[in-house]
Amino acid sequence: MPVSNQQVTAHPFLKGLYGDDYYPDHVVDRDKEILLRLCERIEAERPADLEALYVLTRAATDEFNDLQAAFEEADSDIETVAREEIAENFWFVAQAYGFADADVEELIATRDW
């Protein structure tokens, strides 16, 4: 199911990572796919409250955790710049779907990066 939220479809996900040669586009593409799948799940499941949203965002965060090896294989890493960019994109997604009170640290609570 394609994403229908116009804020999301117009958003330049992970723009800061795409603009930095330290982060290979093929790995950042995989990161972007995770965020778009998260949006698809939000639209399909329509979480009723923050706790339901956090279940979805934490599952997506776990997918980011699994990509650390891909970054390392590409001589890159999820370091400070990437962590902040990823967190900002999770926060954007929450905002775009009406969760203005979402706590960014709760959105990505399962991160190990």
Side-chain angles (χ1 to χ4, degrees):
M1 172 173 112
V3 173
S4 63
N5 182 307
Q6 291 182 351
Q7 289 179 52
V8 171
T9 58
H11 185 70
F13 282 100
L14 305 170
K15 182 179 178 182
L17 301 186
Y18 279 115
D20 188 329
D21 290 339
Y22 181 67
Y23 308 102
D25 285 354
H26 72 278
V27 179
V28 179
D29 288 343
R30 292 173 65 187
D31 294 342
K32 181 179 175 181
E33 289 169 10
I34 293 168
L35 291 165
L36 290 173
R37 277 195 306 275
L38 170 61
C39 294
E40 290 171 357
R41 286 193 68 193
I42 292 170
E43 290 185 15
E45 297 181 25
R46 302 203 184 278
D49 57 24
L50 280 174
E51 286 309 313
L53 175 68
Y54 293 152
V55 168
L56 299 179
T57 62
R58 291 170 185 165
T61 301
D62 291 342
E63 290 185 61
F64 273 93
N65 292 342
D66 294 340
L67 279 183
Q68 285 192 84
F71 275 96
E72 290 169 7
E73 289 170 8
D75 293 324
S76 187
D77 190 23
I78 301 178
E79 44 70 62
T80 304
V81 171
R83 282 192 291 270
E84 290 178 8
E85 182 80 13
I86 293 165
E88 287 174 14
N89 278 263
F90 271 92
W91 185 82
F92 164 79
V93 168
Q95 301 302 302
Y97 287 100
F99 293 95
D101 295 335
D103 180 316
V104 72
E105 291 301 321
E106 291 297 323
L107 292 169
I108 57 174
T110 59
R111 74 171 185 219
D112 61 11
W113 30 270

